[in-house]
Amino acid sequence: MERLIWTRPERGNRGPAAGHSRAELAAVAVTLADRSGLAAVSMRQVAAELGTGPSSLYRYLGGRNDLLDLMADAVAGEIDLGLPLGGDPVEDLLALAVRAKAVHLRHPWLAELPPEPLRLGPHGLAYLEFALRAMAPARLPGPARLEVVAVVDALVAQFARAQRQQGAAGADRRAAQAAYLGETAAAGAYPHLAAALAGAPGGDPAEDPEALFGRTVRRVLGALLGAGTPD
């Protein structure tokens, strides 16, 4: 069975003394990915950034999967877990989700990581523990609590991706799309769509993404936790 990097020593026992730490390797790889996307991150390129040969990295890493694990955990460490919990699982998890989405927006390459729900290092485990602690007041079995975290994480990733794409589309194009949608619905061929748009805040389907995110996450968490939260 493969051993994850977190279960192995910081570096192997062979060869010269360690010249780099895992944190340094992760920082270099994250900078590369932020600049050029995840595809730009390779053992060779990280070594070049460090001014060394690719073979030297194998003193610390078993391969690119180890590097991806280090990167994912490094940016998970950017999520502030020091804020106090207020005792309302919905609001506490929403506040955590907002902070997690900010990390996704800073590091767009997170959306390119191969989907592995158990890609958890020390910072990732701390995040998971914080989220589970936020759900302590809810009457839910353990597996259901883990499912709630997975749903929130999926919403964070999806909304961050949509927000980046919305920004890339340009204000004029978004306005044209919204106008087309509104005019088409008003023509009468799509009555359910017209009713849905009439109930949208301000009647604008292209509303502020932060407001939409907050409202959506609250609604989802309310449904998932409502029956399991004390009155």
Side-chain angles (χ1 to χ4, degrees):
M1 183 176 64
E2 179 182 355
R3 292 184 63 198
L4 298 179
I5 189 169
W6 316 114
T7 67
R8 304 196 307 267
E10 181 83 8
R11 66 173 299 276
N13 295 323
R14 297 182 180 180
H20 304 291
S21 67
R22 286 175 177 172
E24 185 179 3
L25 299 178
V28 169
V30 166
T31 299
L32 276 170
D34 287 346
R35 187 171 66 218
S36 305
L38 194 63
V41 178
S42 65
M43 301 285 278
R44 181 177 298 278
Q45 190 57 44
V46 170
E49 293 286 324
L50 291 168
T52 186
S55 61
S56 68
L57 293 192
Y58 289 95
R59 302 174 193 164
Y60 317 93
L61 306 170
R64 191 168 185 265
N65 275 338
D66 283 351
L67 195 56
L68 297 181
D69 285 347
L70 289 177
M71 294 169 65
D73 199 60
V75 298
E78 297 178 15
I79 303 172
D80 186 1
L81 304 181
L83 298 180
L85 295 172
D88 181 336
V90 171
E91 293 303 317
D92 286 335
L93 286 175
L94 172 59
L96 180 63
V98 168
R99 302 198 294 277
K101 185 163 76 73
V103 171
H104 276 256
L105 290 173
R106 284 198 298 273
H107 304 291
W109 52 267
L110 280 169
E112 303 172 45
L113 276 177
E116 294 182 10
L118 298 181
R119 191 190 289 276
L120 294 170
H123 288 122
L125 289 170
Y127 167 86
L128 178 58
E129 180 70 13
F130 186 94
L132 293 172
R133 182 157 56 90
M135 278 186 277
R139 300 192 187 99
L140 289 176
R145 293 170 187 265
L146 294 173
E147 290 167 3
V148 169
V149 178
V151 169
V152 171
D153 287 347
L155 287 172
V156 164
Q158 181 58 38
F159 270 82
R161 183 183 300 109
Q163 190 170 333
R164 288 193 302 272
Q165 292 171 346
Q166 183 182 29
D172 288 345
R173 179 165 175 79
R174 294 198 305 273
Q177 291 169 332
Y180 166 74
L181 187 62
E183 292 166 4
T184 302
Y190 304 97
H192 293 287
L193 174 60
L197 292 176
D204 181 8
E207 66 169 304
D208 173 55
E210 299 299 337
L212 178 60
F213 178 69
R215 191 171 63 255
T216 302
V217 174
R218 277 195 184 94
R219 185 175 293 129
V220 170
L221 287 174
L224 293 173
L225 297 174
T229 304
D231 296 331

PDB file of all heavy atoms in Angstrom, residues 196-215:
ATOM      1  N   ALA A 196     -39.799  32.422 -11.598  1.00  0.00           N
ATOM      2  CA  ALA A 196     -38.576  32.312 -10.809  1.00  0.00           C
ATOM      3  C   ALA A 196     -37.788  33.613 -10.853  1.00  0.00           C
ATOM      4  O   ALA A 196     -37.264  34.082  -9.835  1.00  0.00           O
ATOM      5  CB  ALA A 196     -37.720  31.152 -11.313  1.00  0.00           C
ATOM      6  N   LEU A 197     -37.690  34.216 -12.039  1.00  0.00           N
ATOM      7  CA  LEU A 197     -36.955  35.465 -12.167  1.00  0.00           C
ATOM      8  C   LEU A 197     -37.653  36.601 -11.435  1.00  0.00           C
ATOM      9  O   LEU A 197     -37.003  37.492 -10.880  1.00  0.00           O
ATOM     10  CB  LEU A 197     -36.779  35.839 -13.645  1.00  0.00           C
ATOM     11  CG  LEU A 197     -35.862  34.928 -14.456  1.00  0.00           C
ATOM     12  CD1 LEU A 197     -35.848  35.352 -15.919  1.00  0.00           C
ATOM     13  CD2 LEU A 197     -34.454  34.951 -13.886  1.00  0.00           C
ATOM     14  N   ALA A 198     -38.998  36.562 -11.417  1.00  0.00           N
ATOM     15  CA  ALA A 198     -39.740  37.618 -10.727  1.00  0.00           C
ATOM     16  C   ALA A 198     -39.460  37.589  -9.233  1.00  0.00           C
ATOM     17  O   ALA A 198     -39.527  38.620  -8.557  1.00  0.00           O
ATOM     18  CB  ALA A 198     -41.237  37.448 -10.984  1.00  0.00           C
ATOM     19  N   GLY A 199     -39.115  36.412  -8.710  1.00  0.00           N
ATOM     20  CA  GLY A 199     -38.816  36.293  -7.279  1.00  0.00           C
ATOM     21  C   GLY A 199     -37.369  36.518  -6.932  1.00  0.00           C
ATOM     22  O   GLY A 199     -36.995  36.492  -5.755  1.00  0.00           O
ATOM     23  N   ALA A 200     -36.520  36.747  -7.947  1.00  0.00           N
ATOM     24  CA  ALA A 200     -35.099  36.969  -7.681  1.00  0.00           C
ATOM     25  C   ALA A 200     -34.887  38.334  -7.063  1.00  0.00           C
ATOM     26  O   ALA A 200     -35.622  39.272  -7.357  1.00  0.00           O
ATOM     27  CB  ALA A 200     -34.297  36.845  -8.976  1.00  0.00           C
ATOM     28  N   PRO A 201     -33.896  38.491  -6.181  1.00  0.00           N
ATOM     29  CA  PRO A 201     -33.606  39.792  -5.569  1.00  0.00           C
ATOM     30  C   PRO A 201     -33.358  40.856  -6.628  1.00  0.00           C
ATOM     31  O   PRO A 201     -32.447  40.733  -7.432  1.00  0.00           O
ATOM     32  CB  PRO A 201     -32.341  39.530  -4.743  1.00  0.00           C
ATOM     33  CG  PRO A 201     -32.347  38.066  -4.488  1.00  0.00           C
ATOM     34  CD  PRO A 201     -32.974  37.455  -5.712  1.00  0.00           C
ATOM     35  N   GLY A 202     -34.200  41.870  -6.639  1.00  0.00           N
ATOM     36  CA  GLY A 202     -34.041  42.924  -7.629  1.00  0.00           C
ATOM     37  C   GLY A 202     -34.403  42.476  -9.033  1.00  0.00           C
ATOM     38  O   GLY A 202     -34.256  43.236  -9.983  1.00  0.00           O
ATOM     39  N   GLY A 203     -34.907  41.239  -9.181  1.00  0.00           N
ATOM     40  CA  GLY A 203     -35.235  40.728 -10.503  1.00  0.00           C
ATOM     41  C   GLY A 203     -34.037  40.527 -11.396  1.00  0.00           C
ATOM     42  O   GLY A 203     -34.158  40.381 -12.599  1.00  0.00           O
ATOM     43  N   ASP A 204     -32.845  40.523 -10.799  1.00  0.00           N
ATOM     44  CA  ASP A 204     -31.613  40.435 -11.591  1.00  0.00           C
ATOM     45  C   ASP A 204     -31.000  39.052 -11.436  1.00  0.00           C
ATOM     46  O   ASP A 204     -30.530  38.701 -10.353  1.00  0.00           O
ATOM     47  CB  ASP A 204     -30.615  41.495 -11.125  1.00  0.00           C
ATOM     48  CG  ASP A 204     -29.313  41.468 -11.927  1.00  0.00           C
ATOM     49  OD1 ASP A 204     -29.258  40.732 -12.929  1.00  0.00           O
ATOM     50  OD2 ASP A 204     -28.366  42.182 -11.541  1.00  0.00           O
ATOM     51  N   PRO A 205     -30.983  38.207 -12.486  1.00  0.00           N
ATOM     52  CA  PRO A 205     -30.403  36.877 -12.376  1.00  0.00           C
ATOM     53  C   PRO A 205     -28.891  36.907 -12.237  1.00  0.00           C
ATOM     54  O   PRO A 205     -28.282  35.916 -11.867  1.00  0.00           O
ATOM     55  CB  PRO A 205     -30.819  36.201 -13.693  1.00  0.00           C
ATOM     56  CG  PRO A 205     -31.017  37.326 -14.652  1.00  0.00           C
ATOM     57  CD  PRO A 205     -31.535  38.475 -13.825  1.00  0.00           C
ATOM     58  N   ALA A 206     -28.256  38.063 -12.566  1.00  0.00           N
ATOM     59  CA  ALA A 206     -26.812  38.181 -12.455  1.00  0.00           C
ATOM     60  C   ALA A 206     -26.456  39.037 -11.245  1.00  0.00           C
ATOM     61  O   ALA A 206     -25.757  40.033 -11.346  1.00  0.00           O
ATOM     62  CB  ALA A 206     -26.245  38.799 -13.731  1.00  0.00           C
ATOM     63  N   GLU A 207     -26.965  38.652 -10.091  1.00  0.00           N
ATOM     64  CA  GLU A 207     -26.767  39.454  -8.887  1.00  0.00           C
ATOM     65  C   GLU A 207     -25.367  39.275  -8.306  1.00  0.00           C
ATOM     66  O   GLU A 207     -24.565  38.488  -8.808  1.00  0.00           O
ATOM     67  CB  GLU A 207     -27.811  39.064  -7.836  1.00  0.00           C
ATOM     68  CG  GLU A 207     -27.643  37.637  -7.336  1.00  0.00           C
ATOM     69  CD  GLU A 207     -28.506  37.344  -6.110  1.00  0.00           C
ATOM     70  OE1 GLU A 207     -28.380  38.079  -5.110  1.00  0.00           O
ATOM     71  OE2 GLU A 207     -29.295  36.397  -6.176  1.00  0.00           O
ATOM     72  N   ASP A 208     -25.100  40.030  -7.242  1.00  0.00           N
ATOM     73  CA  ASP A 208     -23.813  39.971  -6.568  1.00  0.00           C
ATOM     74  C   ASP A 208     -23.487  38.531  -6.170  1.00  0.00           C
ATOM     75  O   ASP A 208     -24.280  37.886  -5.476  1.00  0.00           O
ATOM     76  CB  ASP A 208     -23.861  40.869  -5.335  1.00  0.00           C
ATOM     77  CG  ASP A 208     -22.616  40.722  -4.483  1.00  0.00           C
ATOM     78  OD1 ASP A 208     -21.519  40.890  -5.010  1.00  0.00           O
ATOM     79  OD2 ASP A 208     -22.759  40.398  -3.281  1.00  0.00           O
ATOM     80  N   PRO A 209     -22.329  38.017  -6.585  1.00  0.00           N
ATOM     81  CA  PRO A 209     -22.011  36.606  -6.307  1.00  0.00           C
ATOM     82  C   PRO A 209     -21.869  36.310  -4.816  1.00  0.00           C
ATOM     83  O   PRO A 209     -22.179  35.201  -4.385  1.00  0.00           O
ATOM     84  CB  PRO A 209     -20.698  36.375  -7.054  1.00  0.00           C
ATOM     85  CG  PRO A 209     -20.122  37.726  -7.290  1.00  0.00           C
ATOM     86  CD  PRO A 209     -21.285  38.649  -7.419  1.00  0.00           C
ATOM     87  N   GLU A 210     -21.409  37.274  -4.029  1.00  0.00           N
ATOM     88  CA  GLU A 210     -21.264  37.029  -2.596  1.00  0.00           C
ATOM     89  C   GLU A 210     -22.622  36.843  -1.936  1.00  0.00           C
ATOM     90  O   GLU A 210     -22.808  35.974  -1.080  1.00  0.00           O
ATOM     91  CB  GLU A 210     -20.500  38.178  -1.930  1.00  0.00           C
ATOM     92  CG  GLU A 210     -19.088  38.376  -2.448  1.00  0.00           C
ATOM     93  CD  GLU A 210     -18.211  37.159  -2.211  1.00  0.00           C
ATOM     94  OE1 GLU A 210     -18.510  36.354  -1.304  1.00  0.00           O
ATOM     95  OE2 GLU A 210     -17.211  37.005  -2.932  1.00  0.00           O
ATOM     96  N   ALA A 211     -23.589  37.676  -2.327  1.00  0.00           N
ATOM     97  CA  ALA A 211     -24.934  37.548  -1.769  1.00  0.00           C
ATOM     98  C   ALA A 211     -25.563  36.221  -2.174  1.00  0.00           C
ATOM     99  O   ALA A 211     -26.206  35.541  -1.365  1.00  0.00           O
ATOM    100  CB  ALA A 211     -25.803  38.718  -2.226  1.00  0.00           C
ATOM    101  N   LEU A 212     -25.377  35.850  -3.442  1.00  0.00           N
ATOM    102  CA  LEU A 212     -25.924  34.581  -3.920  1.00  0.00           C
ATOM    103  C   LEU A 212     -25.290  33.408  -3.190  1.00  0.00           C
ATOM    104  O   LEU A 212     -25.975  32.455  -2.801  1.00  0.00           O
ATOM    105  CB  LEU A 212     -25.687  34.461  -5.427  1.00  0.00           C
ATOM    106  CG  LEU A 212     -26.154  33.159  -6.084  1.00  0.00           C
ATOM    107  CD1 LEU A 212     -27.648  32.973  -5.907  1.00  0.00           C
ATOM    108  CD2 LEU A 212     -25.779  33.154  -7.563  1.00  0.00           C
ATOM    109  N   PHE A 213     -23.977  33.465  -3.004  1.00  0.00           N
ATOM    110  CA  PHE A 213     -23.281  32.395  -2.292  1.00  0.00           C
ATOM    111  C   PHE A 213     -23.808  32.258  -0.869  1.00  0.00           C
ATOM    112  O   PHE A 213     -24.129  31.153  -0.419  1.00  0.00           O
ATOM    113  CB  PHE A 213     -21.783  32.687  -2.274  1.00  0.00           C
ATOM    114  CG  PHE A 213     -20.966  31.666  -1.533  1.00  0.00           C
ATOM    115  CD1 PHE A 213     -20.814  30.380  -2.034  1.00  0.00           C
ATOM    116  CD2 PHE A 213     -20.341  31.979  -0.334  1.00  0.00           C
ATOM    117  CE1 PHE A 213     -20.054  29.431  -1.356  1.00  0.00           C
ATOM    118  CE2 PHE A 213     -19.579  31.050   0.345  1.00  0.00           C
ATOM    119  CZ  PHE A 213     -19.437  29.768  -0.169  1.00  0.00           C
ATOM    120  N   GLY A 214     -23.892  33.366  -0.162  1.00  0.00           N
ATOM    121  CA  GLY A 214     -24.365  33.311   1.219  1.00  0.00           C
ATOM    122  C   GLY A 214     -25.772  32.756   1.329  1.00  0.00           C
ATOM    123  O   GLY A 214     -26.055  31.910   2.188  1.00  0.00           O
ATOM    124  N   ARG A 215     -26.652  33.214   0.455  1.00  0.00           N
ATOM    125  CA  ARG A 215     -28.037  32.750   0.517  1.00  0.00           C
ATOM    126  C   ARG A 215     -28.148  31.267   0.169  1.00  0.00           C
ATOM    127  O   ARG A 215     -28.890  30.516   0.812  1.00  0.00           O
ATOM    128  CB  ARG A 215     -28.903  33.584  -0.429  1.00  0.00           C
ATOM    129  CG  ARG A 215     -30.407  33.351  -0.225  1.00  0.00           C
ATOM    130  CD  ARG A 215     -31.248  34.339  -1.003  1.00  0.00           C
ATOM    131  NE  ARG A 215     -31.049  34.215  -2.438  1.00  0.00           N
ATOM    132  CZ  ARG A 215     -30.349  35.074  -3.170  1.00  0.00           C
ATOM    133  NH1 ARG A 215     -29.750  36.107  -2.601  1.00  0.00           N
ATOM    134  NH2 ARG A 215     -30.239  34.908  -4.475  1.00  0.00           N
TER     135      ARG A 215
END
